[in-house]
Each structure stands twice: as C-alpha cells, then as structure tokens.
Amino acid sequence: PMLAAVEGRGSLSDIGDSSAALRLEAVERVADDLYEGNLQAMQGDWHPVGEANPFTIGIYGMDWTEMLMEEEQDRFMMSVGEACADGTVHQGMVISLYRYGDDPAADACWGMDYIDDGRMSLRDLSGDFGLVDFERVLE
C-alpha cells in the first residue's frame, strides 16, 4: 500500500563524496510501524479551521505543498520520527519539513496531536503557531 513502511537490505560500494552505488538485495514490509497509518490518513488537501484566506496544504506521499489562492507558495519534503531536525525529542509523531531547493536545515517541525478522516490537529514545535486544526478539503 502507499506509504507502507518497508525495510531494505543491500550493499554499498563505490562510495564518493555525494554518491554511492547501492545493490538492493531485499525489501520487506515492517510490521506495526508507528507512523504508517497517520501518514496514509494525512494524504490530501487540508484547510486551517477558521482561516479566512484561501490557504491550503496538500500532502501527497512525503511532499507537503503550501498553496495560497491556488498558487504554490512553498514545497517541502517531510520526514517523520520522534524528534525535530534539531534533535529535540517530543511525544508522539513529529513531522520535520525541509524546503526543496533550500539549505538543508529544517524549515518547520510539527507534532501530530490528532487525525481522522476529516480533521487533523498539528502542534507547531519550532515556531509560534501553537495548535492548528485543519479540515480536509472535499472536492
């Protein structure tokens, strides 16, 4: 399934400064991954509850895209775990965002407080937004 947690095994060779040859030998499904279900539930477009301007985030795969008035503002790669990119450990699922084409430092860090089919609550762990509730954008 999309975003299923897997473990790959293989060997590295010809390791250079920014590249390496990888021989993939096996891929197996990881049982009971802590983040798989939440990542699958996050897929789609979301709008902040009570937000007057037409701002949305689109989460597709491990991409997070911020849109304003149907125009792309920023695009990030998501990484999930228990800590922000600065190493600060938090309770629950932590989502670090890295802006594409920018310095590799983290641009944002969010904690997952709640998610279901129509609602998602994220806590800003690296800024001043606090808890932000989102509603799924239905077509």
Side-chain angles (χ1 to χ4, degrees), residues 5-13 21-31:
V6 296
E7 179 179 282
R9 285 191 305 278
S11 56
L12 288 172
S13 62
L22 170 66
R23 180 168 185 251
L24 185 60
E25 296 163 357
V27 176
E28 294 178 7
R29 183 90 191 264
V30 174

Side-chain angles (χ1 to χ4, degrees), residues 39 42 59 61-64 76-80 95-97:
L39 284 169
M42 290 172 70
I59 300 172
M62 295 299 284
D63 286 337
W64 169 301
F76 303 88
M77 178 193 75
M78 295 171 33
S79 173
V80 298
I95 305 156
S96 292
L97 301 179

Side-chain angles (χ1 to χ4, degrees), residues 101-124:
D102 198 9
D103 189 296
D107 286 292
C109 187
W110 294 89
M112 172 70 71
D113 272 22
Y114 176 82
I115 190 162
D116 66 18
D117 289 339
R119 209 149 167 100
M120 174 171 67
S121 296
L122 299 177
R123 184 170 306 280
D124 186 0

Side-chain angles (χ1 to χ4, degrees), residues 37-57:
N38 286 345
L39 284 169
Q40 290 170 343
M42 290 172 70
Q43 301 301 301
D45 294 323
W46 299 88
H47 181 271
V49 173
E51 183 83 23
N53 67 21
F55 174 80
T56 59
I57 60 170

Side-chain angles (χ1 to χ4, degrees), residues 4 17 105:
D17 289 337

